Amino acid sequence: MHTRNALSMQIGRTAELARTFGIDFFSVLTRGSQYRVESLMLRLSHACNYLAVSASREQPFQMRLSHTCNYLAVSASQEQ
């Protein structure tokens, strides 16, 4: 009986997340948090009459890479 209640609560929570983010039920379970954030931002921008622009599938591959890189070197401190 406890397992059925836990499953029912999980289904209800997933359905509520799908409703909140405006995505389908299955995407709540399978997609990452960036997808949720973007869907919520799109809903809010649409409500404010903003137009969201995104890159085509080819555009990210055509972007030039930056020639400068900053590397972060982390090392353990030596106590004496």
Side-chain angles (χ1 to χ4, degrees), residues 3-16:
T3 305
R4 188 183 316 176
N5 289 339
L7 181 61
S8 177
M9 287 179 58
Q10 183 65 29
I11 290 173
R13 182 177 178 272
T14 304
E16 186 64 30

Side-chain angles (χ1 to χ4, degrees), residues 41-67:
M41 287 178 61
L42 285 172
R43 287 178 60 139
L44 292 173
S45 64
H46 181 72
C48 295
N49 292 323
Y50 289 126
L51 179 64
V53 181
S54 62
S56 68
R57 290 182 182 251
E58 295 84 21
Q59 285 175 330
F61 297 109
Q62 296 170 352
M63 292 174 58
R64 287 186 53 196
L65 295 177
S66 175
H67 294 292

Side-chain angles (χ1 to χ4, degrees), residues 20-74:
T20 301
F21 291 115
I23 57 178
D24 62 296
F25 186 88
F26 188 68
S27 291
V28 172
L29 300 173
T30 59
R31 299 271 188 137
S33 60
Q34 181 177 353
Y35 185 78
R36 295 176 189 173
V37 169
E38 288 178 359
S39 67
L40 190 58
M41 287 178 61
L42 285 172
R43 287 178 60 139
L44 292 173
S45 64
H46 181 72
C48 295
N49 292 323
Y50 289 126
L51 179 64
V53 181
S54 62
S56 68
R57 290 182 182 251
E58 295 84 21
Q59 285 175 330
F61 297 109
Q62 296 170 352
M63 292 174 58
R64 287 186 53 196
L65 295 177
S66 175
H67 294 292
T68 59
C69 297
N70 295 325
Y71 295 99
L72 176 63
V74 179

